[in-house]
């Protein structure tokens, strides 16, 4: 099986202004060294208003942390008040863009079809999507978790090319584990990620399944990251709350030392 380098991503959600972002990045860069970057790829996903400042600091100090965004529209430009296009993000050296986070699905009514359009636009602009999927507590209790995840993966990735899927990232984020402190057990997280890889294999073949990086997200902390990352189908973490402190995020990046 292909060796997949772990990707540890910090999703800041709607936290920190641009000055706080600059201070955070500097602090994080002091906490990480070349050995850390060699063992894991690292991305941070600040709010849109911080991207320019973050890019300047990362570039000026040659910090090998990838810049990420949390969302984008699919059109290149147009009358879409409040939206940001993939081309605008690419121009700021954004490398990864989250699409279909459960907060966007639940609070802003985003549907699989829109997630799919976003993925195509992100890829078209030369960036890497991180597509989120995961079941709610209600779906889990009704034994619908597997069907829900499979449906999100099938619809979200529809029409993509095999090599595009093999080079992208999917995040399994069970909604009941996000921001609740209730991390999925390593076995449950592994089962969700394995299911995603199986769907990718069924739809796009063995090479795409071997290449796609699958993150787990939902209350990842320094204390639980190592056992999650030890699972065969978990290739990284999408971290919310614990990514807002340089100390805890750097410890998550260095999960092998926990
Ligand atoms: P928490 O790590 O705060 O549970 O958030 C997870 C998440 O939603 C990352 O995208």
């Amino acid at each position: 099986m292909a060796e997949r380098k772990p990707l540890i991503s910090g999703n800041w959600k709607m936290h920190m202004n641009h000055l706080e972002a600059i201070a955070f990045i500097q602090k994080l860069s002091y906490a990480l060294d070349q050995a850390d970057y060699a063992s894991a790829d690292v991305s941070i996903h600040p709010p849109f208003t911080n991207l320019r400042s973050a890019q300047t600091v990362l570039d000026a100090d040659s910090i090998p942390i990838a810049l990420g965004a949390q969302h984008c529209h699919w059109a290149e430009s147009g009358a879409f008040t409040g939206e940001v296009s993939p081309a605008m993000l690419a121009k700021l050296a954004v490398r990864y863009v989250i699409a279909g986070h459960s907060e966007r699905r639940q609070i802003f009514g985003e549907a699989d079809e829109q997630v799919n359009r976003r993925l195509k636009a992100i890829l078209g602009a030369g960036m890497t999507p991180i597509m989120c999927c995961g079941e709610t507590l209600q779906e889990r209790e009704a034994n619908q978790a597997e069907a829900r995840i499979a449906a999100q993966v099938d619809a979200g990735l529809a029409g993509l090319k095999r090599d595009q899927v093999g080079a992208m990232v999917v995040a399994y984020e069970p909604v009941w584990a996000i921001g609740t402190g209730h991390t999925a057990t390593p076995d449950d997280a592994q089962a969700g990620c394995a299911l995603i890889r199986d769907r990718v294999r069924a739809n796009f073949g063995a090479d795409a399944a071997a290449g796609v990086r699958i993150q787990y997200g939902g209350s990842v902390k320094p204390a639980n990251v190592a056992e999650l990352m030890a699972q065969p189908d978990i290739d990284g973490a999408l971290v919310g709350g614990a990514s807002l402190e340089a100390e805890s995020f750097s410890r998550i990046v260095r999960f092998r030392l926990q």
Side-chain angles (χ1 to χ4, degrees):
M1 191 192 270
E3 185 58 36
R4 294 181 296 269
K5 191 175 179 187
L7 172 63
I8 308 294
S9 303
N11 174 10
W12 294 8
K13 308 190 180 182
M14 200 168 72
H15 294 286
M16 294 208 252
N17 62 40
H18 71 290
L19 298 175
E20 292 163 333
I22 291 169
F24 173 91
I25 292 166
Q26 284 168 336
K27 212 166 156 192
L28 181 62
S29 74
Y30 293 135
L32 297 175
D33 59 26
Q34 290 309 320
D36 299 322
Y37 299 122
S39 64
D41 290 336
V42 183
S43 69
I44 53 168
H45 300 249
F48 288 138
T49 51
N50 303 358
L51 289 175
R52 179 64 166 143
S53 307
Q55 183 240 336
T56 304
V57 179
L58 294 172
D59 190 36
D61 294 348
S62 301
I63 300 169
I65 295 173
L67 192 55
Q70 301 175 17
H71 168 70
C72 67
H73 195 267
W74 50 80
E76 199 156 319
S77 62
F80 301 105
T81 301
E83 292 291 312
V84 166
S85 79
M88 292 169 185
L89 298 176
K91 193 82 178 160
L92 278 171
V94 166
R95 187 110 171 259
Y96 297 96
V97 186
I98 297 169
H101 191 280
S102 63
E103 286 150 18
R104 298 228 48 103
R105 292 178 189 264
Q106 295 199 309
I107 304 169
F108 302 102
E110 205 167 294
D112 287 329
E113 198 266 331
Q114 293 169 308
V115 175
N116 180 247
R117 291 177 81 171
R118 263 183 247 297
L119 292 192
K120 288 173 179 162
I122 293 163
L123 288 161
M127 299 179 292
T128 302
I130 299 179
M131 185 189 80
C132 299
C133 57
E135 80 283 2
T136 62
L137 184 60
Q138 223 179 7
E139 287 162 346
R140 187 175 185 80
E141 287 175 344
N143 278 325
Q144 291 167 353
E146 292 189 4
R148 183 75 190 114
I149 298 165
Q152 286 176 330
V153 171
D154 290 356
L157 303 182
L160 299 190
K161 300 193 179 78
R162 287 162 186 250
D163 59 334
Q164 289 178 321
V165 175
M168 67 173 274
V169 184
V170 179
Y172 172 52
E173 295 207 312
V175 178
W176 47 270
I178 295 177
T180 59
H182 297 300
T183 321
T185 63
D187 284 349
D188 282 347
Q190 160 60 22
C193 293
L195 173 67
I196 292 167
R197 200 177 305 283
D198 285 346
R199 291 311 300 174
V200 168
R201 188 176 296 107
N203 296 342
F204 299 96
D207 287 351
V212 65
R213 289 194 283 186
I214 304 179
Q215 297 176 313
Y216 166 77
S219 299
V220 175
K221 309 279 180 236
N224 60 30
V225 63
E227 55 182 4
L228 289 162
M229 293 306 118
Q231 303 302 315
D233 285 299
I234 302 182
D235 308 316
L238 185 53
V239 188
S243 76
L244 298 172
E245 297 285 341
E247 209 266 334
S248 57
F249 189 55
S250 62
R251 285 174 62 204
I252 290 171
V253 171
R254 317 179 99 170
F255 65 86
R256 288 188 176 82
L257 306 179
Q258 297 298 322

